[in-house]
Amino acid sequence: CREKGLYTFHDRSRRKNTPGHPDLVIACPGGRVLWIELKSRTGRLTEDQKRVQLQLLYCGHEFHLVRSYRQFLELIEKEG
């Protein structure tokens, strides 16, 4: 992301986060914002995460569930 000049936010503090807040927020050119939840191959969204996903989609934002580093790179490769 840094190489592409993309602003990223990743809060590692779990104590102060809003329940369900996605793991990564990435600001892309043209005002696009990617909200990304990182999960293992078998990981499932919590009810809070599902609620936030629906809120973001309702507001017209992009929500991505990413299950591998390769999938993340493919998503970011389209940006910048």
Side-chain angles (χ1 to χ4, degrees):
C1 291
R2 220 175 278 142
E3 289 175 10
K4 293 184 169 289
L6 305 177
Y7 175 80
T8 61
F9 175 77
H10 175 62
D11 186 359
R12 291 179 175 93
S13 171
R14 300 210 179 263
R15 286 180 267 159
K16 295 182 182 181
N17 285 348
T18 302
H21 190 280
D23 296 312
L24 295 172
V25 181
I26 302 175
C28 302
R32 290 182 59 227
V33 177
L34 306 178
W35 299 82
I36 301 173
E37 182 62 41
L38 304 172
K39 291 287 183 194
S40 68
R41 188 172 43 140
T42 59
R44 296 182 181 182
L45 294 175
T46 66
E47 290 304 314
D48 286 327
Q49 290 168 332
K50 290 176 187 177
R51 178 184 48 75
V52 169
Q53 175 188 24
L54 290 175
Q55 287 178 315
L56 290 169
L57 293 173
Y58 175 79
C59 292
H61 286 262
E62 293 185 40
F63 178 91
H64 298 271
L65 178 59
V66 173
R67 296 187 178 277
S68 70
Y69 184 61
R70 181 182 192 152
Q71 186 182 6
F72 175 78
L73 290 178
E74 289 171 359
L75 178 63
I76 297 305
E77 188 60 34
K78 300 173 188 175
E79 305 304 327

